[in-house]
Amino acid sequence: MPTAGRSDKLRIGVLASGRGSNLQAVIDAIEAGSLQAQIALVLSNKKDAFALERARRHGLTEVFLDPKPYTGQPDSREAYDRAILDLLKKHEVELVVLAGYMKIVTAVLIKAYENRMMNIHPSLLPSFPGLDVQKKALDWGVKLAGCTVHFVTEGVDEGPIIIQAAVPVLEGDTAEMLSARILEQEHLIYPRAIQLYAEGKLKVDGRRVVVAGTGTKGTEALISPA
Ligand code: GAR
């Protein structure tokens, strides 16, 4: 039974470390009505993350949680994640959305939010996990790059894939040019993945995410070079 005055929309908690353009895409989708969710909390491990400023501009609850007091402890990363978990619980977060959160998440959070924590990564996983992935894609000579939204598991960038977008690599691309085109797609697929979750359409079956209602739509191949 929802509490009086409290919206029953999916409550999401966004963890971000940087400029927060994916957070902005989620905010915009909510404000445009294409994403039925509410942002209960924006949390950053970086005091000057522009993501926090974006949250303030939209009147959202935002928190900078300083990792420093937790360093030096034998289980410092877990202790930090326990503090995050307390905040997520306090704000009744149902789905955790990692949006450029550049800190390894430990089992403390992953177990508490099993199949309820998403990440976006700027490559077509399982190709190019980790960092500097657009440069790695160019160095490898792939013709299609892209981005992936996946559930978070303990293996970094390894969780079950929810949605991907492919982006052609063009002649003369730099890592910055390719990143910019991938980012445009990130901003489309992240809100979409969250909306699918909000609608209860995602079912994790081992490594696979079964997406209800997708049928055989979108069978056209993207060929690169065209
Ligand atoms: C995005 O490109 C996101 O895919 C990437 O960081 C960027 C954050 O941008 N995440 C990762 O590489 C995680 N492995 P944003 O702060 O503007 O959303």
Side-chain angles (χ1 to χ4, degrees), residues 16-24 51 54 98-102 119-123 129-134 147-148 150 156-157 179 182-183 186-187 190:
S17 303
R19 69 189 160 185
S21 72
N22 276 289
L23 165 67
Q24 189 66 54
R54 291 184 196 267
L98 306 184
Y101 183 64
M102 297 314 212
N119 180 43
I120 189 152
H121 182 77
S123 79
L131 297 172
D132 295 326
V133 296
Q134 298 91 342
C147 46
T148 303
H150 63 93
V156 175
D157 299 327
S179 299
I182 292 173
L183 194 62
E186 293 185 36
H187 297 163
Y190 218 178

Side-chain angles (χ1 to χ4, degrees), residues 15-197:
L15 272 52
S17 303
R19 69 189 160 185
S21 72
N22 276 289
L23 165 67
Q24 189 66 54
V26 171
I27 293 172
D28 292 347
I30 290 173
E31 291 183 354
S34 57
L35 174 54
Q36 315 300 313
Q38 56 186 318
I39 298 179
L41 176 69
V42 175
L43 185 146
S44 184
N45 61 322
K46 299 278 182 197
K47 191 171 190 199
D48 55 359
F50 191 61
L52 292 176
E53 175 58 24
R54 291 184 196 267
R56 282 190 288 272
R57 287 181 188 177
H58 290 266
L60 300 171
T61 304
E62 42 87 21
V63 174
F64 158 58
L65 186 65
D66 192 352
K68 259 197 227 111
Y70 302 89
T71 52
Q73 302 176 24
D75 67 342
S76 54
R77 289 194 306 158
E78 285 77 8
Y80 184 71
D81 278 0
R82 275 193 291 275
I84 293 184
L85 187 55
D86 285 346
L87 284 165
L88 294 173
K89 283 186 180 160
K90 181 177 159 206
H91 292 278
E92 299 176 60
V93 167
E94 296 164 297
L95 176 73
V96 179
V97 170
L98 306 184
Y101 183 64
M102 297 314 212
K103 202 170 188 305
I104 304 275
V105 176
T106 70
V108 168
L109 277 185
I110 294 167
K111 289 209 173 99
Y113 278 91
E114 193 183 6
N115 296 337
R116 297 193 300 141
M117 187 185 310
M118 291 180 183
N119 180 43
I120 189 152
H121 182 77
S123 79
L124 288 174
L125 289 172
S127 293
F128 312 119
L131 297 172
D132 295 326
V133 296
Q134 298 91 342
K135 179 174 182 309
K136 285 178 190 158
L138 285 177
D139 289 350
W140 195 262
V142 297
K143 301 298 187 199
L144 286 170
C147 46
T148 303
V149 178
H150 63 93
F151 283 117
V152 177
T153 55
E154 286 188 48
V156 175
D157 299 327
E158 276 182 14
I161 291 169
I162 299 164
I163 186 168
Q164 295 185 299
V167 172
V169 177
L170 304 180
E171 209 51 54
D173 259 351
T174 61
E176 290 70 31
M177 289 156 75
L178 182 58
S179 299
R181 289 206 311 285
I182 292 173
L183 194 62
E184 277 179 35
Q185 299 306 312
E186 293 185 36
H187 297 163
L188 293 177
I189 67 170
Y190 218 178
R192 199 174 294 182
I194 299 166
Q195 178 62 19
L196 287 168
Y197 182 92

